[in-house]
Amino acid sequence: MEPEKLWRSVLGELELVVSPTYYNTFFPSTKINKIEEERIEIHCSNNFSKEILQQKYSKDIKSLIKERTGKNFDITFTTTSNKVAVAEPVVFSGDAPLFSPSNSSTVKEEDLQQARHTSTNYQTLEPQTQGLVPEYNFSNFIIGPNNRLAYTVAKTVAENPGQSYNPYLVHSGVGLGKTHLLHAIGNEIAKNHPEYKIIYCTGQEFLNDLMDALQNTRTNGGTAREFKNRFTSADVWLIDDVQVIAGREATQEEFYFAFNHLYLNKKQIVISSDRHPSEIKKLHERISSRFNMGMVSDIQKPDVDVRTAILRNKRDDLGVEISNETLDYIADNINSNIRELEGAFTQVVTYAKAMNIPADINAAKQALNDALITKEEKNIKPAKVVREVAQFYNLEIREIKGSRRTKQIVVPRQVTMFLLKEINQLPLVQIGALLGNRDHTTIMYGIEKINSELKNDNFKLKKEISIIKETIMDK
Ligand code: ADP
Ligand code: MG
């Protein structure tokens, strides 16, 4: 076989297995330099491409060549150029750079680090319903004004997967039922269509697995292909907390690939995120616009009636002895989110049991007073507030404290003033000192500005402030 033809055929196969990022970065300008008796020499355009091919893909290349020639060639790699990293070199801790991105698509070191520490194991889960928890279903999902739309859409999706709302994205703050709803959809579909392959995974798991696959391709040539197939062969794909993939180039690219594949094949896709897709910073526009093509709904915080209903349902489910009055007390006092509400319930029950007293309103008061006090005493530092605001708006802390007056900075700066007042209850003078020695009247003006925006129903700002507050309180 002619070297050129042989290599083209090998590349054709590799393209299917290798992630697009890697393929476009390392493979396009490679060719077979010479074919000898026992050895094939492959030419790479630069050192990095050479290193990557050598370390990660030489086994694949060897076997693909064997498939085509019937011969077990030794494969060697050469390069004439000593070109090193051109832009944004990604350096492995202390070692020589491994990856030289030739375009903006880079695999981040932090992604790889994370992948080394955590890895999911789809293989150990049931083949048809990967990752679904049966306890999260529609029958124990309490419906209220805060989640009615999200629930209705979820139910419709579960009844007609791929035919009604596709994709379906549900978003909310933490602990308000997104994960529960995703599992409920999966469980319902699994019941009606046992033959369907349903995959539930979190954005973080998707990211970790991709990094794993990229890393392991060297030792196990098939992993990248397996990774691709795993998602593209799904009938239903439930992806939780998708916001995690934002800012990760390679991950977003693979996600987009799998998403499009399933979408075009009319497979149901359900996504959750901690905020509206258009508010996810560093999420590719082409991905967020895809999300907006389907149905987007949110879940709000539950009112006291929903909270009470959830607690009663939980009590009946678990068969615990605890009076309605006690449950009302818990529901009245814990209004942050459902996860905390459930936590408080468990706390009261456990406390009563440990103290060997009935789980009545007294026990609840004692158990929860502790919980409520620790929450208040959490003692949030002003520096943390500044940091979280800066991070949310993608700004440097020095920009918040600095003197530039562009709108992109002024609003976050005023939000910082507002939150330092509200959360830390700092005096205006102190806030001024903290934010680049500003006069207290400037601070007063800033806080008033935010207050009036909120009063005038600046919905976007309201939402932003509530997300920032939640991250500050949760961490
Ligand atoms: P999120 O994914 O939005 O952070 P989860 O789905 O993990 O929230 O919900 C947190 C907890 O609250 C879970 O135990 C879940 O079962 C429970 N929960 C949330 N919403 C409801 C609801 N409407 N009815 C009953 N339980 C709920
Ligand atoms: Mg969740």
Side-chain angles (χ1 to χ4, degrees):
M1 203 190 263
E2 279 170 43
E4 224 185 288
K5 213 164 147 199
L6 170 64
W7 189 236
R8 226 180 305 130
S9 144
V10 169
L11 281 184
E13 186 91 356
L14 281 167
E15 195 177 359
L16 297 173
V17 194
V18 176
S19 95
T21 313
Y22 270 40
Y23 187 85
N24 295 330
T25 310
F26 301 120
F27 287 91
S29 40
T30 52
K31 61 175 190 214
I32 290 183
N33 232 6
K34 52 183 162 194
I35 303 185
E36 295 174 353
E37 193 58 37
E38 311 260 358
R39 190 175 77 94
I40 288 185
E41 189 180 86
I42 290 159
H43 182 267
C44 309
S45 60
N46 61 51
N47 258 327
F48 288 107
S49 161
K50 180 184 148 192
E51 250 176 77
I52 286 294
L53 263 62
Q54 208 158 28
Q55 295 189 6
K56 291 176 81 79
Y57 299 112
S58 64
K59 227 174 117 187
D60 287 359
I61 293 170
K62 191 180 165 99
S63 73
L64 288 171
I65 288 180
K66 190 177 173 206
E67 264 174 45
R68 283 158 181 74
T69 60
K71 239 181 118 171
N72 227 340
F73 284 102
D74 280 336
I75 312 293
T76 58
F77 299 86
T78 95
T79 178
T80 41
S81 137
N82 272 327
K83 218 163 52 179
V84 282
V86 254
E88 308 178 55
V90 180
V91 183
F92 269 72
S93 35
D95 295 329
L98 254 183
F99 302 105
S100 155
S102 65
N103 52 34
S104 65
S105 297
T106 61
V107 178
K108 281 192 187 167
E109 166 63 3
E110 59 194 279
D111 289 0
L112 294 166
Q113 288 281 9
Q114 218 156 14
R116 288 187 199 108
H117 291 302
T118 32
S119 112
T120 42
N121 206 344
Y122 294 96
Q123 289 82 351
T124 58
L125 299 164
E126 287 206 300
Q128 289 301 312
T129 54
Q130 297 180 354
L132 285 181
V133 178
E135 286 73 23
Y136 287 154
N137 49 58
F138 283 124
S139 64
N140 61 8
F141 189 83
I142 306 290
I143 309 152
N146 61 313
N147 60 20
R148 192 177 308 277
L149 178 63
Y151 168 85
T152 311
V153 176
K155 203 64 181 145
T156 311
V157 161
E159 279 156 16
N160 308 291
Q163 289 166 35
S164 44
Y165 304 107
N166 203 20
Y168 171 37
L169 183 142
V170 56
H171 65 97
S172 79
V174 292
L176 293 177
K178 298 182 296 294
T179 298
H180 190 134
L181 218 45
L182 256 60
H183 283 271
I185 293 172
N187 285 319
E188 183 84 4
I189 298 178
K191 205 164 63 190
N192 300 333
H193 303 273
E195 75 285 6
Y196 274 19
K197 182 173 170 190
I198 303 168
I199 296 184
Y200 167 89
C201 72
T202 63
Q204 187 68 51
E205 285 164 353
F206 182 82
L207 191 155
N208 291 344
D209 273 29
L210 170 63
M211 294 307 138
D212 252 8
L214 293 178
Q215 290 253 293
N216 291 338
T217 305
R218 181 165 47 130
T219 43
N220 171 8
T223 38
R225 187 202 293 272
E226 275 162 27
F227 176 83
K228 256 192 176 35
N229 287 347
R230 183 157 62 221
F231 295 100
T232 51
S233 63
D235 295 297
V236 178
W237 190 20
L238 310 158
I239 175 149
D240 207 354
D241 288 319
V242 78
Q243 73 278 354
V244 175
I245 70 167
R248 322 270 185 164
E249 291 303 325
T251 312
Q252 291 193 81
E253 212 161 310
E254 290 296 341
F255 178 87
Y256 186 70
F257 175 85
F259 181 99
N260 273 340
H261 184 96
L262 295 177
Y263 180 77
L264 292 172
N265 286 290
K266 300 203 163 28
K267 307 293 187 185
Q268 182 67 49
I269 304 166
V270 186
I271 307 139
S272 91
S273 66
D274 68 351
R275 60 191 84 173
H276 192 279
S278 59
E279 286 167 12
I280 305 176
K281 302 248 148 69
K282 294 187 181 167
L283 181 69
H284 279 176
E285 214 277 317
R286 55 180 187 176
I287 295 182
S288 64
S289 66
R290 283 276 187 293
F291 289 169
N292 282 319
M293 277 175 354
M295 178 73 184
V296 175
S297 72
D298 70 350
I299 303 180
Q300 295 290 326
K301 283 188 178 176
D303 62 21
V304 69
D305 294 335
V306 174
R307 297 202 298 272
T308 310
I310 288 174
L311 290 179
R312 292 188 184 184
N313 196 43
K314 199 167 164 75
R315 169 194 57 195
D316 299 344
D317 251 17
L318 298 174
V320 190
E321 265 194 45
I322 182 166
S323 68
N324 283 345
E325 192 196 16
T326 317
L327 295 183
D328 289 349
Y329 178 82
I330 301 175
D332 273 342
N333 281 283
I334 309 292
N335 56 12
S336 46
N337 65 53
I338 302 174
R339 190 170 302 147
E340 300 229 332
L341 185 71
E342 292 184 336
F345 173 92
T346 310
Q347 207 163 339
V348 172
V349 174
T350 319
Y351 179 82
K353 207 167 164 194
M355 304 301 279
N356 207 6
I357 54 173
D360 57 12
I361 197 155
N362 249 336
K365 272 184 184 153
Q366 288 168 33
L368 290 189
N369 268 346
D370 282 353
L372 294 173
I373 288 166
T374 32
K375 182 110 191 150
E376 271 161 24
E377 274 184 347
K378 230 172 165 182
N379 199 2
I380 288 153
K381 297 212 166 57
K384 180 176 174 175
V385 173
V386 183
R387 193 171 60 232
E388 291 297 338
V389 177
Q391 194 167 346
F392 180 86
Y393 289 106
N394 253 324
L395 294 171
E396 301 289 334
I397 290 173
R398 62 181 156 74
E399 289 177 297
I400 298 265
K401 295 187 176 182
S403 54
R404 275 185 63 199
R405 296 201 37 85
T406 55
K407 189 162 179 238
Q408 285 95 318
I409 300 183
V410 169
V411 175
R413 190 178 288 142
Q414 290 173 338
V415 168
T416 315
M417 299 172 186
F418 173 84
L419 289 175
L420 285 171
K421 181 82 204 157
E422 187 178 295
I423 298 178
N424 307 86
Q425 292 170 10
L426 293 185
L428 298 179
V429 177
Q430 214 169 321
I431 298 177
L434 228 133
L435 297 179
N437 277 328
R438 290 184 148 73
D439 191 78
H440 78 276
T441 50
T442 310
I443 307 298
M444 192 157 64
Y445 172 79
I447 295 175
E448 263 168 23
K449 187 87 197 7
I450 298 293
N451 269 323
S452 84
E453 287 292 317
L454 295 183
K455 254 192 228 121
N456 289 329
D457 280 338
N458 181 335
F459 182 71
K460 185 167 167 279
L461 187 66
K462 214 177 247 182
K463 195 89 194 245
E464 287 176 356
I465 290 182
S466 103
I467 293 172
I468 298 170
K469 255 161 76 177
E470 230 159 69
T471 22
I472 292 173
M473 298 301 184
D474 277 352
K475 275 187 187 164

